[in-house]
Amino acid sequence: MGSFGMIIGTWLAGFLTFAILSFLYKDNPFYKLAEHLYVGVSAGYWLIYVAFFDVEPMLVRGFLDETGIEKWILLVPAALGVIMLSRWFPKTAWLSRWPIAFTVGVGAGLGITANIQGYVVPQIQATLLPITGLNMDSLDSLILVVGVVTTILYFYFSKPHKGILGGAAKVGIVFIMISFGASFGYTLMARLSLLIGRLYFILSDLLHII
Amino acid sequence: MRRAVPLAITFLTGLFLVVSFFIPHRPFGELEQRLLVWFAIVAGFTMLLGVDNLIRSHARKITRTSEGWGHSVVLLVGLVATVVVGVIGRVQFGSPFHLQSPFMFIYSYTIVPLQATMFALLAFFIASASYRAFRARNWVATLLLVSAVIVMLGRIPIGAAMSEFFPWMQEWIMTVPQLAAKRGIQIGAALGAVSMSLRIILGIERSYLS
């Protein structure tokens, strides 16, 4: 890409940045144009992404490069993919349930193994830290255990929140509210960081003021 | 055929994935990887359905000259141009993601600024929504408010300039109470996902067939 292309690109990016920011005043045609362009370009981008990183190497390259059973077995996902397109024809649309069932089956199978292996066990392991004596780390470890257990108990609705469960749920809500507040603050700061990035782009790359 | 076959596909796919996790030997061991490749291929075809839906819906708006049909033209032009440029990049440079490819021009100067500004815009809406919603009505709401303010102040230089307490406290909030509640929620959600996956594999949950 030459320098002329970069200049055109920078002006285009600047125009689109202002078009999106114009929504702060009110909904207007420039915002609508940028919004629709974003949807269209993103759809095209992901289509190319999936074709280049998934379908081409896994199906097309796989079929051309492999031999024997490894080659022909690729016809199964190819057939499932083509059957998925049967939704285009009302009479055969019901056939698309087969590939949907396959994707749901993969999701459900991974839902069991990946969740237990990736979330439940590691999170419990990381929570049950040793108490090494009367120090700040041990206190933090203890607070962590109390926080995790009481948060889980807060979401346990099979019994009324009375007695010990009610008390634990009340402790749980303290942790949950602190967590939501912290997540809110963290998210807002991340968004502000993006805004600073855009303002820096306008003042530096586009207008050369700083 | 319309219900039994999809239920069988889901059952077998889910079962194979669970079995391959517990028996990491041939022929089950390599099954998980194979099924994931198939999943990616089928998902690639699904992308076609999504894009087709988008094109149909906006083409309908254009042919009926419904309100805002001009924006639909922008969307479709953006989509088609991105795909065409992606194909050109593939042919010309061997990959649409080559730095010299015109596809990367669209990515750098259209998608990146649009996406970053769209998320940056959220900073204003989060701030205005929180101004209206954040009221210290009771002690738990106060906890949320205080936690958010400490995290925000602790992550900016002015917070540290005011007091060393803010950076220290925000770090403690993020690593202890915030983490505890997040872990509790994640463990609960993961256990919920495991039980939902079991229901799907066993055919108790069938809403995906409707």
Side-chain angles (χ1 to χ4, degrees), chain B residues 67-116:
Chain B
E67 197 189 338
W69 65 271
H71 299 123
S72 296
V73 174
V74 172
L75 187 147
L76 291 182
V77 168
L79 196 158
V80 173
T82 309
V83 172
V84 169
V85 157
V87 173
I88 291 171
R90 170 73 181 86
V91 174
Q92 205 174 349
F93 298 98
S95 163
F97 296 91
H98 189 280
L99 284 177
Q100 298 294 318
S101 162
F103 185 72
M104 287 313 285
F105 178 88
I106 289 190
Y107 177 76
S108 305
Y109 295 112
T110 308
I111 296 178
V112 170
L114 279 170
Q115 191 164 295

Side-chain angles (χ1 to χ4, degrees), chain A residues 155-203:
Chain A
F155 290 105
Y156 183 73
F157 297 115
S158 299
K159 275 179 112 179
H161 284 186
K162 288 176 187 167
I164 296 172
L165 182 62
K170 271 192 182 142
V171 178
I173 194 73
V174 170
F175 281 91
I176 291 167
M177 291 313 256
I178 292 175
S179 174
F180 286 170
S183 298
F184 169 82
Y186 190 79
T187 309
L188 187 64
M189 296 315 280
R191 298 287 183 262
L192 278 175
S193 168
L194 277 171
L195 182 65
I196 291 167
R198 294 323 297 159
L199 293 177
Y200 183 78
F201 163 77
I202 291 168
L203 296 174

Side-chain angles (χ1 to χ4, degrees), chain A residues 15-17 19-20 29-39, chain B residues 71 74 114 118:
Chain A
F15 168 73
L16 294 173
T17 302
I20 295 286
F30 289 111
Y31 173 76
K32 283 256 185 250
L33 182 134
E35 186 190 33
H36 280 75
L37 186 69
Y38 180 42
V39 175
Chain B
H71 299 123
V74 172
L114 279 170
M118 203 64 102

